[in-house]
Amino acid sequence: QVQLVESGGGLVQPGGSLRLSCAASGSFGGINTMAWYRQAPGKQRELVAIRTSGGTTNYAEAVKGRFTISRDNAKNTVYLEMSSLKHDDTAVYYCRIGGVWRTRPYDYWGQGTQVTVSS
């Protein structure tokens, strides 16, 4: 079993920055993708950023140039650096990891962390 623990959310003013962290623990390996999603009230969950094991990254158009996804392999942690935050970035942010471990594919989600952008 794998556990994902997110942290770093909170209240920030428009134009501000936050860094989200997602630490993975448990017995696993062979991570293929690590990603961040978000879900705003009344909206569907959407992909924000994704990073493959090869280092390729992709971002939603709405966050390109403002958000950066990165990974610390030694800590099994994925980060989302967010800057120039806008009201529309307000949402619950979830991390997700997927891969194959001992021939079995897996897909885990974190519990979510609230990000509120407000003056």
Side-chain angles (χ1 to χ4, degrees):
Q1 188 68 19
V2 176
Q3 287 189 328
L4 302 180
V5 179
E6 296 144 343
S7 60
L11 174 64
V12 63
Q13 291 185 341
S17 300
L18 280 177
R19 186 177 81 158
L20 305 183
S21 301
C22 174
S25 62
S27 179
F28 69 101
I31 294 176
N32 290 330
T33 59
M34 304 183 85
W36 287 94
Y37 288 72
R38 69 185 181 186
Q39 187 166 18
K43 295 187 177 180
Q44 289 189 333
R45 191 172 297 187
E46 62 176 358
L47 176 65
V48 175
I50 188 167
R51 187 185 188 281
T52 69
S53 58
T56 301
T57 57
N58 278 295
Y59 298 90
E61 285 295 325
V63 307
K64 277 184 180 178
R66 301 188 297 120
F67 290 12
T68 302
I69 187 170
S70 62
R71 174 183 173 181
D72 184 331
N73 291 335
K75 296 181 179 180
N76 282 328
T77 299
V78 60
Y79 302 98
L80 185 68
E81 299 271 2
M82 306 184 293
S83 62
S84 301
L85 283 162
K86 306 174 181 180
H87 289 111
D88 287 349
D89 296 318
T90 295
V92 178
Y93 284 71
Y94 300 88
C95 67
R96 180 184 188 184
I97 66 167
V100 179
W101 179 236
R102 295 179 177 173
T103 74
R104 286 193 169 188
Y106 60 85
D107 183 7
Y108 293 104
W109 290 83
Q111 81 287 354
T113 185
Q114 177 70 47
V115 172
T116 302
V117 183
S118 176
S119 53

